[in-house]
């Protein structure tokens, strides 16, 4: 079949997502090998990645999440999260943070003064503030049509490129309930990513 459809397709077409994923796995192993160079025998190396996972609508509306409203459902105040992170980064050059969902960051950005925008640009330039995934949201991988996944990723990447000259290098799919070949084939290596990180995997794949 044609990778899930009822039409006949060459084997290469269906195998391509798997080959892309295998290529990414090789790159990740190389990156991890380099990271282990700093490991000290007898000590545990822990990588801590401060990052966001701000749902662009889930238990509350997008507006409620951003403005911190309707806390009877869930405590979430994204505008305050971003403002606090930026202030904390500016106070200490040793601090780093990774932001994910551009729907919220773009909204916050438009509300800032020129002085604050200059501060944020400096944080990006010196590597304190980074972006991963870079899409408008962390999209689901089962329900959306693949063009919607591409479009929302393109929207976020365009904002980052035009505003900061920044291109995300890692996929960051920590919360989707399951993962698709589309993500591995079109929105990983093809999107310029050198790695794809995800947080949910079927128990059979863990065996």
């Amino acid at each position: 079949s044609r990778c899930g459809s009822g039409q006949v397709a060459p084997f290469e077409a269906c195998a391509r997502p798997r080959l892309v994923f295998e290529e990414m796995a090789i790159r990740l192993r190389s990156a991890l090998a380099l990271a282990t160079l700093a490991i000290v025998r007898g000590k545990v190396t822990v990588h801590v990645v401060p990052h966001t996972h701000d749902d662009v609508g889930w238990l509350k509306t997008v507006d409620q999440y951003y403005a911190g409203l309707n806390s009877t459902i869930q405590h979430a105040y994204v505008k305050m999260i971003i403002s606090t992170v930026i202030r904390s980064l500016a106070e200490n050059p040793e601090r780093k943070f990774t932001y994910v969902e551009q729907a919220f960051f773009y909204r916050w950005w438009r509300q800032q003064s020129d002085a604050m925008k200059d501060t944020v640009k400096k944080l990006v330039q010196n590597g304190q503030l980074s972006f991963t995934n870079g899409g408008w949201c962390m999209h689901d991988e089962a329900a959306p049509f693949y063009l919607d996944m591409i479009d929302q990723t393109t929207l976020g990447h365009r904002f980052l490129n035009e505003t900061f000259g920044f291109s995300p290098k890692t996929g960051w799919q920590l919360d989707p309930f399951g993962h698709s070949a589309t993500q591995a084939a079109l929105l990983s290596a093809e999107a310029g990513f050198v790695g794809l990180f995800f947080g949910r995997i079927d128990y059979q794949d863990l065996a």
Side-chain angles (χ1 to χ4, degrees):
S1 68
R2 189 173 182 177
C3 300
S5 71
Q7 301 176 4
V8 176
F11 170 77
E12 291 78 10
C14 297
R16 188 168 183 273
R18 192 170 115 192
L19 293 175
V20 171
F21 194 85
E22 289 175 352
E23 180 183 355
M24 288 170 47
I26 292 172
R27 292 183 182 180
L28 279 175
R29 282 197 293 270
S30 298
L32 290 173
L34 290 174
T36 60
L37 294 177
I39 289 179
V40 178
R41 185 179 297 277
K43 293 187 177 181
V44 177
T45 300
V46 178
H47 298 275
V48 179
V49 183
H51 68 95
T52 58
H53 176 56
D54 298 327
D55 287 301
V56 186
W58 178 42
L59 298 178
K60 305 197 294 186
T61 68
V62 175
D63 290 339
Q64 289 172 339
Y65 272 117
Y66 182 75
L69 303 175
N70 203 353
S71 295
T72 58
I73 296 177
Q74 186 184 41
H75 291 285
Y77 190 175
V78 177
K79 180 180 179 181
M80 183 60 70
I81 291 173
I82 301 175
S83 296
T84 302
V85 164
I86 298 302
R87 184 173 68 248
S88 297
L89 293 177
E91 290 174 351
N92 188 340
E94 297 297 317
R95 293 171 178 161
K96 298 180 183 294
F97 195 84
T98 300
Y99 202 85
V100 181
E101 303 83 8
Q102 299 313 306
F104 288 128
F105 197 85
Y106 174 77
R107 183 171 182 172
W108 178 87
W109 174 262
R110 292 185 61 189
Q111 297 174 348
Q112 303 310 303
S113 65
D114 290 340
M116 177 57 74
K117 289 180 178 179
D118 288 340
T119 297
V120 175
K121 287 181 178 179
K122 291 177 182 177
L123 293 173
V124 174
Q125 290 171 0
N126 67 22
Q128 282 185 262
L129 178 62
S130 187
F131 302 93
T132 186
N133 227 34
W136 211 238
C137 66
M138 185 184 296
H139 57 242
D140 180 60
E141 297 184 33
F145 189 48
Y146 77 96
L147 288 178
D148 298 319
M149 296 165 69
I150 293 172
D151 285 348
Q152 77 89 18
T153 301
T154 300
L155 184 62
H157 282 209
R158 180 179 297 151
F159 163 65
L160 290 174
N161 185 265
E162 293 178 350
T163 307
F164 304 110
F166 186 95
S167 297
K169 296 302 180 186
T170 51
W172 200 253
Q173 293 291 100
L174 301 187
D175 201 39
F177 292 86
H179 302 282
S180 68
T182 299
Q183 182 70 35
L186 299 179
L187 293 167
S188 295
E190 293 290 338
F193 293 162
V194 297
L196 170 62
F197 295 85
F198 50 86
R200 300 183 191 273
I201 188 170
D202 190 274
Y203 73 96
Q204 298 174 92
D205 295 324
L206 285 172

